[in-house]
């Protein structure tokens, strides 16, 4: 369960990181390409200013010349569209359409800005070709003309799609690699913890012979495993001593000819040797059971009375045609009131 949680947290963290990185990278590259196209348009517009003079009568031919010069000297694959517009918005020169069939451009935002002497760039779908274009309009010095340059953004969209595809492929590969690393890392964290947990469960069941070896984890967990091993060793020795003493006690009690029984404050039998069980016919009694399992009410009452009154009592008791002298006394066991009877 812990391993799954850690792996889930790693998965969410890795996925979010890669998605954020992909979005930022895509936007950064897209903006870079857009800025590059803008710079190219401004560069072509600046160089084209020298082609305008008073002797030009065919602006359609000039527009095609500017386009040819751009395509000849520019290393990019952008095919530039050149439009020359008069101050009233009429097209006087065009490279990609018949100028006589083109609409008036006086309502174009880039034309209006250029008419006021401010070069302007806008992006929109062309009404002539129905393709997304980036438009740059600049005023021609000492003239009433506006030079408008435009580039199709279909190539830019293709580049963006290619970048997105590459980022997606990189995302998948990076995600798989990161998940493998996360899985191994989560195992390296949880495996020692699960090993320590299993060892603790064995301790709770009384298995003190197990030790933890080769945990291969952090310094803190190694120290914890060493501490558990030390504690297990001490518990094994301690409980071994207790068991040894219990065996010795049972051996002594069961070899005494007198019957001995003891009860605690909860009326539970603490001690009952074989002689007592045989005398009273209570061989089926198990240590820890109720005192009322003793098949002699006189002994039961004497034990309870002696404990509750903290007095020593002595009676003669008849059991199966035999007379027994019974002596009882109270004592404290770990601050608990108990009583003992001897037959």
């Amino acid at each position: 369960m812990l391993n799954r949680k850690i792996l889930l947290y790693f998965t969410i963290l890795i996925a979010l990181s890669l998605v954020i990185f992909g979005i930022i990278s895509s936007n950064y590259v897209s903006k870079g390409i857009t800025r590059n196209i803008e710079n190219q348009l401004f560069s072509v517009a600046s160089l084209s200013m020298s082609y305008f003079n008073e002797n030009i009568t065919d602006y359609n031919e000039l527009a095609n010349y500017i386009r040819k010069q751009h395509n000849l000297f520019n290393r990019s694959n952008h095919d530039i569209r050149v439009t020359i517009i008069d101050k009233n918005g009429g097209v006087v020169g065009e490279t990609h359409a018949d100028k006589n069939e083109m609409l008036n451009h006086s309502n174009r935002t880039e034309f209006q800005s250029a008419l006021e002497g401010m070069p302007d760039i806008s992006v929109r779908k062309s009404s002539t070709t129905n393709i997304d274009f980036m438009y740059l309009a600049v005023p021609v010095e000492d003239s009433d003309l506006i030079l408008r340059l435009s580039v199709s953004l279909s190539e830019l969209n293709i580049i963006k799609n290619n970048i997105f595809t590459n980022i997606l492929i990189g995302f998948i590969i990076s995600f798989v690699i990161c998940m493998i690393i996360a899985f191994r890392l989560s195992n390296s964290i949880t495996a020692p913890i699960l090993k320590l947990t299993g060892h603790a469960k064995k301790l709770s069941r009384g298995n003190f012979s197990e030790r933890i070896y080769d945990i291969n984890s952090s310094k803190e967990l190694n120290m914890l495993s060493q501490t558990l091993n030390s504690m297990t060793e001490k518990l094994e020795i301690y409980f071994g001593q207790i068991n040894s003493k219990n065996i010795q006690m049972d051996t002594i009690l069961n070899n005494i000819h007198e019957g001995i029984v003891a009860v605690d404050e909860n009326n539970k039998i603490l001690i009952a040797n074989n002689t007592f069980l045989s005398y009273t016919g209570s061989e089926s009694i198990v240590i820890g059971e109720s005192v009322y399992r003793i098949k002699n009410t006189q002994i039961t009452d004497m034990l309870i009375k002696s404990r509750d009154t903290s007095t020593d009592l002595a009676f003669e008791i008849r059991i199966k045609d035999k007379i027994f002298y019974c002596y009882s006394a109270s004592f404290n066991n770990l601050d608990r009131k108990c009583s003992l009877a001897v037959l």
Side-chain angles (χ1 to χ4, degrees), residues 225-238:
S225 66
Q226 292 173 8
T227 303
L228 280 175
N229 285 337
S230 176
M231 183 184 71
T232 303
E233 185 176 353
K234 290 179 180 179
L235 286 174
E236 184 177 20
I237 295 172
Y238 176 72

Side-chain angles (χ1 to χ4, degrees), residues 37-130:
I37 294 175
E38 291 176 359
N39 293 335
Q40 287 187 25
L41 289 176
F42 273 107
S43 178
V44 173
S46 178
L47 293 173
S48 300
M49 290 296 111
S50 61
Y51 302 141
F52 287 87
N53 58 67
E54 297 177 353
N55 299 323
I56 295 176
T57 57
D58 189 349
Y59 288 107
N60 216 46
E61 183 179 346
L62 176 60
N64 281 290
Y65 179 78
I66 293 172
R67 175 193 178 193
K68 180 180 178 181
Q69 290 298 109
H70 166 77
N71 292 338
L72 181 63
F73 295 107
N74 199 293
R75 294 182 179 179
S76 69
N77 296 321
H78 301 304
D79 181 24
I80 194 168
R81 179 181 178 183
V82 182
T83 307
I84 302 174
I85 310 168
D86 62 24
K87 65 179 181 179
N88 297 316
V91 177
V92 296
E94 167 64 37
T95 58
H96 285 61
D98 187 349
K99 66 178 181 179
N100 297 318
E101 295 180 359
M102 296 185 67
L103 299 174
N104 188 280
H105 285 47
S106 59
N107 63 339
R108 305 292 196 269
T109 57
E110 70 277 2
F111 170 80
Q112 294 172 357
S113 296
L115 198 62
E116 296 175 359
M118 296 293 295
D120 186 36
I121 286 181
S122 63
V123 177
R124 67 173 181 278
K125 192 180 291 295
S126 171
S127 59
T128 305
T129 61
N130 200 33

Side-chain angles (χ1 to χ4, degrees), residues 161-229:
N161 290 334
N162 289 337
I163 292 172
F164 178 78
T165 301
N166 291 333
I167 290 176
L168 181 61
I169 294 172
F171 172 85
I172 294 173
I173 295 173
S174 299
F175 184 78
V176 171
I177 293 173
C178 290
M179 285 303 298
I180 293 173
I181 295 173
F183 180 76
R184 292 177 65 88
L185 183 61
S186 64
N187 277 342
S188 68
I189 294 173
T190 57
I193 295 175
L194 293 175
K195 198 169 185 179
L196 292 172
T197 303
H199 182 70
K201 288 181 179 179
K202 290 179 181 179
L203 287 180
S204 67
R205 292 193 292 266
N207 185 354
F208 303 112
S209 60
E210 293 286 336
R211 299 292 185 272
I212 305 174
Y213 301 105
D214 300 327
I215 196 169
N216 294 326
S217 184
S218 63
K219 180 179 179 181
E220 290 76 11
L221 288 178
N222 283 327
M223 289 178 62
L224 179 59
S225 66
Q226 292 173 8
T227 303
L228 280 175
N229 285 337

